[in-house]
């Protein structure tokens, strides 16, 4: 499926060039957007370099990220923040902000605002992921749907759905974890012993959950 993409006219020229070079993009428009940096179908996307992200979260310079998230939610059916870089880039930034706190803010924004923050390594991969998101939110579902219960229902709390999407944690275990730890921040603070104390979670499963959560937070 091919898509049309709109790029905000305040973005660097290289962004529109990368969009035009994508094989699945049939039309590229550059104009002033009411929110976001890229629009693909019903999807609005905010593009951030690691430094832009830190400045936006901490409101140190430039637009406040939380204001941008609110405008995205108002203007588009689906909203995402895509990082033009890797999470490891936060470790090398010359800033007084602890990289752990920055990664925590990514989890917080995803859980509390319902806007996923996704690292995309570089600009080419960011544009490719944006195009794929637009396609997936537009095209008809696959003719081979996943079994009922394999994916958490949209009616469930965002954090609970997040737990269910982490590799090794299905809907049933996600519900158990959510009852004990209603926020990702609380779950990240839990030790293996804390998890093992939850009814129905043994030592092996507790350790698997502990490692899976930290792998997802990296």
């Amino acid at each position: 499926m091919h898509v049309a993409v709109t790029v905000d006219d305040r973005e660097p020229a290289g962004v529109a060039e990368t969009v035009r070079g994508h094989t699945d993009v049939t039309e590229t428009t550059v104009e002033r957007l009411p929110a976001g940096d890229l629009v693909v179908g019903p999807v609005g996307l905010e593009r951030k370099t690691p430094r832009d992200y830190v400045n936006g979260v901490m409101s140190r310079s430039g637009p406040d990220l939380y204001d941008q998230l609110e405008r995205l939610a108002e203007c588009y059916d689906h909203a995402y923040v895509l990082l033009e870089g890797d999470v490891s880039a936060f470790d090398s930034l010359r800033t007084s902000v602890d990289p752990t706190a920055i990664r925590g803010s990514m989890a917080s924004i995803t859980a509390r605002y319902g806007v996923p923050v996704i690292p995309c390594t570089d600009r080419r991969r960011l544009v490719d992921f944006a195009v794929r998101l637009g396609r997936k939110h537009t095209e008809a579902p696959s003719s081979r749907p996943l079994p009922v219960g394999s994916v958490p229902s949209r009616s469930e709390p965002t954090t609970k759905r997040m737990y269910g999407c982490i590799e090794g944690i299905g809907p049933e275990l996600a519900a158990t974890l959510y009852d004990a730890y209603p926020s990702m921040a609380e779950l990240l603070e839990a030790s293996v012993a804390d998890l093992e104390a939850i009814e129905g979670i043994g030592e092996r499963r507790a350790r698997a959950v502990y490692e899976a959560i930290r792998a997802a937070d990296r």
Side-chain angles (χ1 to χ4, degrees), residues 76-174:
Y76 309 108
D77 294 338
H78 310 281
Y80 295 85
V81 175
L82 302 185
L83 292 182
E84 191 175 300
D86 196 271
V87 174
S88 61
F90 293 133
D91 297 326
S92 59
L93 290 178
R94 294 182 177 179
T95 174
S96 59
V97 183
D98 187 337
T100 302
I102 299 172
R103 293 192 292 271
S105 73
M106 296 170 62
S108 177
I109 288 171
T110 300
R112 296 175 183 172
Y113 284 78
V115 179
V117 182
I118 304 171
C120 295
T121 309
D122 56 33
R123 183 170 295 172
R124 182 181 62 82
R125 289 183 175 87
L126 183 149
V127 168
D128 181 65
F129 195 70
V131 169
R132 291 173 185 275
L133 283 170
R135 286 168 45 191
K136 293 302 180 182
H137 280 293
T138 304
E139 66 188 9
S142 167
S143 60
R144 297 178 61 188
L146 292 171
V148 175
S150 61
V151 176
S153 167
R154 289 181 179 273
S155 63
E156 298 284 6
T158 301
T159 306
K160 189 175 179 179
R161 285 190 280 135
M162 283 178 59
Y163 292 169
C165 291
I166 295 173
E167 185 176 356
I169 299 177
E172 183 177 342
L173 181 53

Side-chain angles (χ1 to χ4, degrees), residues 17-101:
E17 291 175 6
T18 304
V19 171
R20 291 190 183 98
H22 196 287
T23 56
D24 290 343
V25 175
T26 55
E27 179 183 356
T28 304
T29 303
V30 179
E31 62 183 43
R32 185 62 52 92
L33 293 171
D37 299 316
L38 298 166
V39 175
V40 188
V43 180
L45 306 114
E46 191 72 40
R47 183 189 68 88
K48 294 291 184 187
T49 65
R51 185 168 295 280
D52 288 339
Y53 178 83
V54 173
N55 288 339
V57 169
M58 302 304 167
S59 302
R60 292 187 167 181
S61 64
D64 181 275
L65 180 58
Y66 296 98
D67 289 341
Q68 293 175 314
L69 294 178
E70 291 180 2
R71 291 200 298 274
L72 278 175
E74 290 173 357
C75 295
Y76 309 108
D77 294 338
H78 310 281
Y80 295 85
V81 175
L82 302 185
L83 292 182
E84 191 175 300
D86 196 271
V87 174
S88 61
F90 293 133
D91 297 326
S92 59
L93 290 178
R94 294 182 177 179
T95 174
S96 59
V97 183
D98 187 337
T100 302

Side-chain angles (χ1 to χ4, degrees), residues 177 181 187 190-198 201-202 206-207 209-210:
L177 290 173
Y181 301 102
L187 183 55
S191 66
V192 174
D194 292 331
L195 295 169
E196 190 178 350
I198 300 174
I201 298 182
R207 189 166 298 281
V209 169
Y210 182 87

